[in-house]
Amino acid sequence: ARPAGGLGPDVSLPAEHQHARYNPLRDDWVLVSAHRVKRPWQGQLEKPPPEDVPRWDPNNPLCPGATRANGEVNPQYEGTFIFPNDFPALQPDAPEPDDSDHPLFRAAAARGVCKVMCFHPWSDLTLPLMSLEEIRAVIDAWAELAAELGASYPWVQIFENKGAMMGCSNPHPHCQVWASSFLPNEARLEDRTQRQHLSQHGVPMLLDYAEQEAHRKERLVVENTDWLVVVPYWATWPFQTLLLPRRHVCRLQDLRNSERDSLASIMQRLLIKYDNLFEVSFPYSMGWHGAPTGPYLEEDCGHWQLHAHYYPPLLRSATVRKFMVGYEMLAQVQRDLTPEQAAERLRSLPEVHYKQRTE
């Protein structure tokens, strides 16, 4: 194992042989079996996403002027559009559960609100095909919602499921924002591990990690003055990435204007590379993690560092995905492609979208 703080290359890691890597953010391990990527594939093939999505469809409930399931008519919006989820997983007035009669049968209150945010009025656009100004408007809307809902709720989860492969039932560019009265599992886990790292090493974990990756560069995908994107050392999904600020920032709403501009740029560059990898609208689930809010706004959350996770399922092509089953569900996460190999593939891709090339 490498001593903490070492800056040398990862020469001790076998590129073609299995080994385990530690994820300090989740306090768990991933099995890396790079030799398995050579095996022939005879499993399920996915359908590529449709290329003929209409720009406007009166029957699409996310389009401007369309009628949603609850009978409400969307405005003729021209930028971002935010509305309460018509089928929310969390509601603000849920009743308190009854007291448990046994420690193995516990329940707790779970309240909150769920919102939907449309990125753009056109259904045939995705974030990598939007302009920098349009992406910046999305970032501003994210930060505004995070501050608004975070004024009272401990956790505000912004997440985007892109593509039918990731459970998205509507091709219109959009995300969801769920605010909860509790810290979800991933938030509680990251709160604990980041707090421990700051206590033991005197520096926020992901600020330390960003500086290390910026120096090593072997897992770097894209970078600019304020941000960097890496395939994390402990990545589980084949082309998983981690988006990190270079400055210590606790929450999305704390970003400066210049950092929001550079965030729009680096998001566009990353997502263009994703689409260019297999020349398809690349599916993924992504989400922002930052310091808790609500009552935590009065506490010291300096152990937190803002970051975004991107979890794409594709492995070999637009039709071959990575399945998290069997061993992954019952024992430990396993991957076939090393993070370094994945980063090199993404890094080498052009930053002009394949649909916009003039060849």
Side-chain angles (χ1 to χ4, degrees):
R2 176 193 314 284
L7 289 176
D10 296 328
V11 293
S12 62
L13 292 176
E16 298 297 328
H17 302 285
Q18 68 267 14
H19 59 280
R21 297 191 184 191
Y22 180 64
N23 181 345
L25 194 57
R26 299 198 75 258
D27 189 22
D28 63 10
W29 293 80
V30 54
L31 174 63
V32 182
S33 310
H35 58 284
R36 294 184 77 242
V37 80
K38 299 174 183 177
R39 75 192 193 283
W41 179 258
Q42 295 179 321
Q44 178 172 321
L45 298 180
E46 308 292 335
K47 291 183 178 179
E51 295 283 348
D52 56 348
V53 176
R55 178 154 293 182
W56 184 83
D57 181 355
N59 297 315
N60 186 329
L62 298 185
C63 281
T67 302
R68 303 204 308 275
N70 62 358
E72 291 193 22
V73 178
N74 295 335
Q76 295 291 341
Y77 65 92
E78 298 180 352
T80 59
F81 170 50
I82 300 166
F83 62 93
N85 194 315
D86 297 329
F87 303 96
L90 291 164
Q91 296 178 326
D93 53 358
E96 195 84 19
D98 295 335
D99 291 336
S100 172
D101 62 354
H102 193 282
L104 294 179
F105 300 92
R106 296 165 59 192
R111 302 184 180 95
V113 296
C114 299
K115 294 183 179 290
V116 176
M117 179 198 297
C118 295
F119 297 154
H120 196 279
W122 295 355
S123 292
D124 59 342
L125 275 192
T126 55
L127 280 170
L129 293 170
M130 289 166 55
S131 69
L132 290 177
E133 292 76 18
E134 291 166 337
I135 299 174
R136 168 65 197 264
V138 170
I139 293 167
D140 287 340
W142 280 342
E144 186 176 337
L145 263 183
E148 174 192 330
L149 297 174
S152 53
Y153 285 102
W155 189 255
V156 180
Q157 184 59 65
I158 297 167
F159 65 97
E160 178 193 5
N161 295 324
K162 179 170 178 268
M165 198 180 300
M166 297 309 291
C168 182
S169 59
N170 192 311
H172 195 93
H174 71 286
C175 73
Q176 298 189 54
V177 183
W178 293 11
S180 61
S181 62
F182 55 91
L183 288 189
N185 292 342
E186 293 296 310
R188 287 191 292 109
L189 183 55
E190 289 193 2
D191 184 69
R192 174 176 65 81
T193 57
Q194 290 181 98
R195 190 184 298 275
Q196 287 176 344
H197 187 92
L198 180 63
S199 174
Q200 294 171 4
H201 302 284
V203 60
M205 178 197 294
L206 291 181
L207 183 63
D208 190 9
Y209 180 67
E211 291 173 354
Q212 289 286 324
E213 291 288 32
H215 176 87
R216 296 167 189 260
K217 297 192 181 302
E218 58 204 317
R219 285 170 293 273
L220 193 64
V221 177
V222 287
E223 64 178 330
N224 61 24
T225 304
D226 301 311
W227 300 88
L228 71 158
V229 175
V230 300
V231 176
Y233 175 80
W234 52 78
T236 58
W237 293 95
F239 294 97
Q240 175 180 334
T241 54
L242 183 63
L243 172 56
L244 295 163
R246 296 181 186 270
R247 180 176 70 92
H248 185 204
V249 184
C250 287
R251 300 178 178 93
L252 196 60
Q253 52 268 43
D254 299 335
L255 293 175
R256 301 164 179 160
N257 275 328
S258 60
E259 291 169 330
R260 297 185 186 195
D261 285 339
S262 57
L263 175 56
S265 173
I266 205 162
M267 282 175 55
Q268 185 188 64
R269 293 169 63 197
L270 168 65
L271 297 180
I272 286 175
K273 284 179 178 289
Y274 268 163
D275 280 10
N276 284 345
L277 180 60
F278 299 129
E279 295 199 347
V280 69
S281 185
F282 205 68
Y284 58 75
S285 285
M286 70 80 63
W288 285 99
H289 283 173
T293 48
Y296 295 89
L297 292 170
E298 304 300 319
E299 298 184 8
D300 182 3
C301 290
H303 54 290
W304 270 90
Q305 174 74 329
L306 176 71
H307 59 282
H309 296 283
Y310 284 83
Y311 299 132
L314 292 178
L315 172 60
R316 302 186 185 203
S317 69
T319 61
V320 177
R321 66 174 296 177
K322 164 69 176 177
F323 287 91
M324 292 291 187
V325 295
Y327 189 85
E328 289 88 352
M329 295 174 70
L330 296 165
Q332 178 172 300
V333 172
Q334 180 270 335
R335 63 177 290 128
D336 297 342
L337 187 70
T338 69
E340 294 74 30
Q341 291 167 336
E344 184 176 8
R345 288 190 63 181
L346 289 173
R347 189 168 53 242
S348 65
L349 291 166
E351 296 188 7
V352 176
H353 198 278
Y354 72 93
K355 288 186 176 180
Q356 298 175 329
R357 292 176 193 155
T358 56
E359 300 170 348

